[in-house]
Amino acid sequence: MLKNRIIPCLDVKNGRVVKGINFVDLKDAGDPVEQAKIYSDGGADEICFLDITASNENRDTIYEVVEKTSKKCFVPLTVGGGVRSVDDINKLLNCGADKVSINTAAVENSKVVVDSSKKFGSQCIVVAIDAKKNGNKWEVFTHGGRNNSGIDALEYAKKMEDCGAGELLVTSMDRDGTQVGYDIDLMSKISSKVNIPLIASGGVGNLDHLVEGIKSGKASAVLAASIFHYGKYSVKEAKQYLESKGIPVRT
Amino acid sequence: MNVTIVDYKSGNISSVINSFKEVAENKVKIEVTSDVSKIKSTDKVVLPGQGSFKSCVDALQSIKGLVDCLNEFVMNKKKPLLGICVGLQMFADVGYEESETKGLGWISGKVTKIDNQNGIYKLPHIGWNQINIVKGSKIFKDIKDKSHMYFVHSYEFVPTDKNSISATTDYSSKHVCAVEKENIFGTQFHPEKSDKTGLKIINNFINL
């Protein structure tokens, strides 16, 4: 039976791990290579790096981080943030990333998703969707949550599947950093609309939120940062809790 | 001893390289090449594969003499080869991803899309799943039945020769996730991304 995945996410800025509260007020929380190794040894099913300020700043530091991490972690490594082109994807994959997540570039030019999934295979192309509620729908935001594209998130999710995305990483902008739980409505609506796996992100504050993300949000995988990062829970505790709630996990 | 990872531009093989180097330490030489003369003289070959069945077969064929060299290595010299993911799928006679494409024909069978049962099962099959070991395979030495392995694929290998099946996994139906036929080994899952258990499989292959 396929297991639901727990993915600790490390937000990286200038080669260091940070985690924002609603994308601002960043705190430093360590070395990404060491953190990733701790997580993979602790049973993380996958590691995610998001180079959060990459759209604006020099991002060459991330390549070095990926290269070092991939020599130490033998679980899948997903890297995103500031990925603009097929060439950027190629570079990250060559450094040892197993999957690359594309956000702004996919909104601006879906051909990047089409071309990269053809060239490298859908298995390594993750489309990251930052969505914010507006009335009774959700809109897709770009540039680390700064710009509203006005695009309907549900329609966009379907389009990205058609373009060749292998997975969707859906972040609720309203919930990110709040620790009040995933936007379950958003997750379940997108998951029901597409036939590719969904990774839920944004808002985890406790282990019940992970359970909700999978059971009600219909997510194949749950991503979280703060709860693991500041030692509130270990990945192992999270897995034990999910298992006690009848969710299949790798132990 | 030399273990050669075939670099035929089939997508990202850095994780395969990293994992083999980690396991080999400095005791075994890990070589990454598409040079046919080097592959001819090596002791073991690893055939990775990402992307579609067709793109991998096309990439193999675009390197002059490579397919003949691999055929000779496997079928005549009977030296060990490990196929990973699409690397395993290419053992088949034929694959149906993108368009009907002839495979290497080392283990008869076909590669078809996993039945998602009208959307009940999401594709690709991504994540950790347990393997059911159905026969003792040399690369499964000290690997427990029901071990978790990391998968990412939408197509499955359906061999005609059921004796070649060494493990299955359950997703939509029971599908083949590892094969062994004499000197030919293959895993649909990614041992290079399957944590310590995966590295053990790589170690078993290196130590054959």
Side-chain angles (χ1 to χ4, degrees):
Chain A
M1 177 181 225
L2 184 65
K3 304 303 162 79
N4 291 103
R5 285 168 282 157
I6 293 184
I7 309 175
C9 179
L10 299 165
D11 287 1
V12 179
K13 185 187 181 186
N14 299 326
R16 299 285 293 174
V17 175
V18 288
K19 172 64 192 176
I21 309 294
N22 283 326
F23 288 89
V24 292
D25 191 25
L26 304 173
K27 290 178 196 168
D28 196 334
D31 168 34
V33 184
E34 290 305 309
Q35 286 283 346
K37 178 72 181 152
I38 290 166
Y39 283 140
S40 78
D41 286 348
D45 296 309
E46 212 169 303
I47 308 285
C48 181
F49 282 149
L50 281 182
D51 196 4
I52 46 171
T53 51
S55 297
N56 300 332
E57 291 172 26
N58 182 343
R59 64 188 299 270
D60 281 355
T61 48
I62 193 71
Y63 295 115
E64 200 183 317
V65 167
V66 171
E67 200 162 8
K68 283 186 185 158
T69 307
S70 68
K71 290 196 167 86
K72 286 193 171 182
C73 291
F74 298 96
V75 299
L77 175 64
T78 304
V79 184
V83 178
R84 309 295 305 168
S85 63
V86 172
D87 198 45
D88 289 347
I89 297 166
N90 193 27
K91 236 164 133 183
L92 285 167
L93 293 175
N94 281 334
C95 286
D98 296 291
K99 308 184 211 179
V100 173
S101 86
I102 317 170
N103 192 329
T104 303
V107 177
E108 290 176 346
N109 176 18
S110 58
K111 202 168 168 290
V112 174
V113 179
V114 175
D115 292 347
S116 58
S117 61
K118 274 213 180 101
K119 192 169 162 73
F120 310 111
S122 289
Q123 86 288 338
C124 63
I125 304 301
V126 180
V127 169
I129 303 175
D130 288 346
K132 194 170 186 170
K133 198 154 193 184
N134 184 3
N136 55 4
K137 66 172 195 166
W138 289 267
E139 289 170 335
V140 178
F141 278 63
T142 61
H143 298 88
R146 288 185 288 275
N147 300 347
N148 184 359
S149 71
I151 296 167
D152 181 83
L154 268 69
E155 299 300 323
Y156 178 69
K158 184 70 196 158
K159 184 183 167 193
M160 289 299 107
E161 176 182 26
D162 295 340
C163 285
E167 275 178 293
L168 299 175
L169 166 56
V170 181
T171 303
S172 159
M173 298 280 308
D174 304 297
R175 300 296 176 91
D176 199 73
T178 62
Q179 308 220 348
V180 298
Y182 296 115
D183 184 338
I184 295 302
D185 203 16
L186 170 68
M187 301 303 161
S188 67
K189 282 206 165 76
I190 292 185
S191 185
S192 304
K193 199 160 174 89
V194 298
N195 286 317
I196 52 177
L198 178 143
I199 305 164
S201 159
V204 177
N206 61 47
L207 300 180
D208 280 313
H209 293 152
L210 301 178
V211 175
E212 284 167 15
I214 292 164
K215 283 195 170 169
S216 313
K218 303 189 184 79
S220 301
V222 283
L223 183 136
S226 317
I227 60 158
F228 298 130
H229 226 63
Y230 297 117
K232 196 167 173 186
Y233 304 101
S234 67
V235 174
K236 195 178 169 193
E237 283 168 335
K239 285 190 162 180
Q240 282 167 345
Y241 191 72
L242 261 57
E243 198 171 31
S244 76
K245 297 289 172 182
I247 292 172
V249 289
R250 173 179 71 117
T251 49
Chain B
M1 189 184 59
N2 284 349
V3 175
T4 300
I5 299 168
V6 185
D7 179 13
Y8 60 103
K9 311 295 171 217
S10 70
N12 173 30
I13 61 168
S14 45
S15 289
V16 175
I17 299 167
N18 286 338
S19 62
F20 272 79
K21 286 194 170 159
E22 168 82 6
V23 171
E25 293 172 341
N26 294 316
K27 289 173 255 169
V28 176
K29 195 178 162 209
I30 305 295
E31 194 172 41
V32 184
T33 187
S34 60
D35 186 331
V36 172
S37 63
K38 283 185 181 157
I39 297 169
K40 259 182 195 158
S41 60
T42 193
D43 301 301
K44 283 172 191 159
V45 163
V46 181
L47 185 63
Q50 279 194 354
S52 73
F53 186 93
K54 185 180 187 305
S55 69
C56 284
V57 170
D58 287 349
L60 265 191
Q61 283 172 343
S62 70
I63 296 168
K64 199 169 172 283
L66 183 56
V67 171
D68 288 342
C69 168
L70 292 173
N71 277 330
E72 168 72 18
F73 188 89
V74 166
M75 303 309 275
N76 296 337
K77 290 189 184 151
K78 300 272 179 200
K79 288 194 194 172
L81 178 140
L82 174 66
I84 300 173
C85 198
V86 185
L88 159 138
Q89 294 181 1
M90 288 192 295
F91 296 171
D93 300 312
V94 61
Y96 294 95
E97 190 170 0
E98 283 188 64
S99 59
E100 188 176 323
T101 309
K102 207 166 164 277
L104 294 164
W106 295 340
I107 297 180
S108 73
K110 59 185 180 178
V111 174
T112 54
K113 194 160 191 174
I114 297 169
D115 178 10
N116 76 350
Q117 300 184 23
N118 293 320
I120 297 171
Y121 289 89
K122 297 211 175 232
L123 289 181
H125 169 219
I126 297 185
W128 297 83
N129 207 334
Q130 285 168 299
I131 62 166
N132 314 301
I133 298 177
V134 296
K135 75 167 182 185
S137 169
K138 288 173 198 149
I139 61 168
F140 290 155
K141 185 173 172 276
D142 298 328
I143 302 290
K144 287 194 190 106
D145 188 30
K146 310 285 178 203
S147 286
H148 286 93
M149 299 294 170
Y150 185 75
F151 288 82
V152 47
H153 63 124
S154 298
Y155 284 74
E156 58 172 317
F157 178 33
V158 186
T160 349
D161 176 9
K162 303 295 175 208
N163 291 324
S164 65
I165 302 167
S166 55
T168 62
T169 194
D170 300 313
Y171 191 70
S172 176
S173 64
K174 210 175 254 316
H175 65 250
V176 174
C177 72
V179 293
E180 176 178 334
K181 186 183 172 188
E182 299 174 40
N183 54 320
I184 308 171
F185 303 85
T187 62
Q188 178 60 66
F189 55 83
H190 291 267
E192 78 278 14
K193 285 285 125 185
S194 296
D195 217 342
K196 292 177 192 76
T197 330
L199 295 182
K200 197 166 201 112
I201 290 179
I202 290 170
N203 192 40
N204 286 340
F205 178 73
I206 288 178
N207 289 326
L208 277 178

